[in-house]
């Protein structure tokens, strides 16, 4: 590390941060990558961890390992809590500060519960490895509890799984749940029939995958229904508690709920002191810098870049990766006293998998569905996985699952509650935690009535 070189600090080790660091690997700068986790996560495959197809190590790699050959780069494990743009300082959780000459913020997004943050306890989203393993635990525990439940009504509730949100995450989760229940677990139990499990996908809008053409939205719905998923459109969720989900005046009894209905930008964007949109995304200039501070760049899900189409770009990996390269190039151009580039997004398509040999995709303007879309999905995700070992392991896991219908990562980890999924109990939590949670809810209800 050369302390005399310009200091570039990159916050976030996701697609945006990692590709920005790589783009600067041969540059005459000192790069520092800061992330609160020590690994880069291939988030598009996170749902496969949640549905027992892959283990976390298959889709993640240590950031230090990825960047260890870059002699101009250091990695810090820390969480950034504040940014002082006037003095060019960032502050981490223990109060330490780090100065920068250029700053790239790529901290992504978090789950959005639209004013009902209390729903997060019973309806976890899917943004991190911990989320995925918790969802996997709740899903598998539901079958274990149903095997021991003598009451038919409670057993039916245990075997009902609700996914909220008809975007790519919701569609992929619902399809994987259905396959897992109807094929992988079909012969594993003696007192229950897993193939009779009910998977419900709730979408508040008129169609699934609203970013896709109407034709593919319909194809996705049809493919999900062939898997046995109950797809409900125009179904606005009004409440979620420990024992069910409310859709208007109708209540669906369930003990397992997954949230995929929306995201908002990382809260770090508000620390910049510049305008943000209602989702918390930072309005950026055409060169991806923020107003008044050309040395600060915001990319990926945290950025509202609407200069190209009039609408913010979608929160997908390709946007973050392309913006990372442009931000890095603009730093180098500034150092060389050259004019900066305006970012231009090149849409390489989008795709969502639904199940075995079932997917939808838009690639180069072509609309694909079924087996050919699924094969394209497999190819793209293998190519962009970080590390040769990861690619080989995932390819072998997928081949085994395709041939046998088996998912090898069916592990229930963490504390198991004594009464696995009794009414009002969150699966996977200890009995003590559940009692505290129920007491809090009852207190809130009492306050509301008062």
């Amino acid at each position: 590390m050369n302390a005399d070189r310009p200091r570039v600090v990159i916050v976030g080790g996701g697609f945006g941060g990692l590709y920005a660091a790589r783009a600067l690997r041969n540059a005459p700068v000192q790069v520092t990558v800061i992330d609160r986790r020590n690994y880069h996560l291939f988030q598009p495959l996170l749902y496969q961890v949640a549905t027992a197809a892959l283990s976390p190590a298959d889709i993640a790699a240590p950031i230090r390992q990825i960047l260890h050959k870059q002699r101009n780069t250091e990695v810090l494990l820390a969480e950034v809590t504040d940014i002082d743009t006037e003095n060019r300082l960032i502050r981490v959780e223990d109060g330490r500060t780090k100065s920068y000459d250029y700053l790239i913020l790529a901290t992504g997004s978090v789950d959005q519960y639209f004013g009902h943050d209390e729903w997060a306890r019973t309806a976890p989203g899917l943004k991190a490895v911990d989320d995925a393993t918790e969802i996997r635990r709740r899903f598998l525990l539901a079958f274990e509890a149903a095997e021991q439940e003598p009451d038919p009504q409670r057993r039916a509730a245990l075997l009902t799984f609700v996914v909220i949100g008809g975007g790519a995450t919701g569609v992929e989760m619902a399809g994987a749940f259905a396959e897992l229940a109807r094929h992988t677990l079909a012969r594993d139990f003696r007192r229950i029939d897993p193939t009779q499990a009910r998977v419900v996908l709730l979408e508040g809008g008129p169609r699934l995958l609203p970013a896709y053409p109407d034709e593919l939205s319909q194809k996705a719905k049809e493919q999900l229904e062939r898997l046995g998923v109950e797809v409900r459109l125009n179904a606005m969720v009004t409440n979620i508690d420990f024992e069910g989900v409310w859709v208007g005046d109708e209540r669906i009894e369930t003990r397992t709920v997954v949230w995929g209905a929306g995201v908002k930008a990382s809260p770090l964007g508000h620390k910049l002191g510049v305008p943000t949109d209602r989702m918390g995304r930072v309005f950026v200039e055409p060169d991806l810098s923020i107003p008044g501070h050309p040395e600060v760049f915001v990319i990926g899900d945290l950025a509202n870049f609407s200069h190209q189409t009039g609408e913010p770009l979608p929160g997908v990996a390709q946007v973050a990766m392309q913006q990372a390269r442009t931000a890095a190039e603009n730093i180098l151009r500034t150092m060389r006293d050259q004019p900066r580039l305006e970012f231009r997004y090149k849409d390489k398509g989008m795709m969502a998998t639904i199940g075995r040999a079932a997917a939808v995709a838009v690639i180069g303007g072509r609309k694909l569905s079924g087996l050919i879309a699924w094969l394209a999905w497999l190819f793209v995700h293998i190519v962009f996985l970080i590390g040769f070992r990861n690619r080989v392991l995932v390819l072998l896991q997928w081949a085994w699952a395709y041939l046998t219908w088996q998912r090898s990562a069916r592990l229930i980890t963490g504390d198991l509650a004594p009464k696995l999924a009794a009414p009002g109990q969150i699966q996977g939590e200890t009995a003590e935690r559940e009692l505290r949670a129920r007491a809090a809810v009852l207190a809130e209800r009492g306050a509301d009535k008062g």
Side-chain angles (χ1 to χ4, degrees), residues 251-325:
R251 180 175 175 80
I252 302 174
E253 295 288 338
T254 179
R255 305 295 182 266
T256 308
V257 184
V258 176
W259 184 264
V263 296
K264 59 183 178 181
S266 160
L268 197 60
H270 294 295
K271 303 293 185 179
L272 295 172
V274 296
T276 59
D277 64 14
R278 60 184 181 85
M279 304 297 290
R281 294 171 296 195
V282 177
F283 289 103
V284 296
E285 302 289 359
D287 64 355
L288 301 175
S289 67
I290 65 173
H293 291 278
E295 75 282 357
V296 178
F297 297 86
V298 178
I299 62 175
D301 293 358
L302 188 57
N304 181 323
F305 183 91
S306 53
H307 303 282
Q308 190 167 339
T309 64
E311 296 291 333
L313 293 175
V316 296
Q318 272 296 328
V319 171
M321 291 155 58
Q322 292 180 34
Q323 289 182 336
R325 297 187 186 103

Side-chain angles (χ1 to χ4, degrees), residues 206-223 226 350 354 359-362 365-370 372:
R207 62 188 183 94
L208 301 178
L209 301 174
Y212 288 67
D214 290 348
E215 175 187 343
L216 293 184
S217 294
Q218 182 60 31
K219 292 278 189 182
K221 181 175 182 292
E222 292 170 358
Q223 292 178 58
R226 281 199 293 271
M350 51 187 174
I354 296 160
V360 293
V362 180
R366 296 185 61 187
K367 303 171 187 176
L368 308 175
S369 64
I372 188 170

Side-chain angles (χ1 to χ4, degrees), residues 42-56:
F42 191 77
Q43 203 169 53
L45 291 181
L46 192 56
Y47 84 96
Q48 295 222 347
V49 175
T51 54
L54 299 173
S55 70

Side-chain angles (χ1 to χ4, degrees), residues 106-178:
T107 49
S109 59
V110 296
D111 290 307
Q112 162 75 291
Y113 287 90
F114 305 103
H116 294 279
D117 291 344
E118 70 277 8
W119 292 354
R121 283 187 301 182
T122 47
L126 190 61
K127 300 298 291 183
V129 167
D130 291 343
D131 299 329
T133 54
E134 176 62 17
I135 290 170
R136 181 183 68 187
R137 175 169 55 183
R138 295 186 186 196
F139 182 82
L140 296 175
L141 271 175
F143 288 93
E144 298 292 341
E147 178 82 347
Q148 303 175 46
E149 178 55 65
D151 183 84
Q153 185 175 352
R154 292 181 178 179
R155 189 164 58 245
L158 287 166
L159 294 177
T160 298
F161 305 93
V162 176
V163 180
I164 302 172
T169 297
V171 165
E172 291 171 345
M173 285 293 299
F177 275 168

Side-chain angles (χ1 to χ4, degrees), residues 359-380:
V360 293
V362 180
I363 303 174
R366 296 185 61 187
K367 303 171 187 176
L368 308 175
S369 64
L371 176 61
I372 188 170
W374 184 70
L375 291 173
W377 180 91
L378 290 180
F379 174 78
V380 167

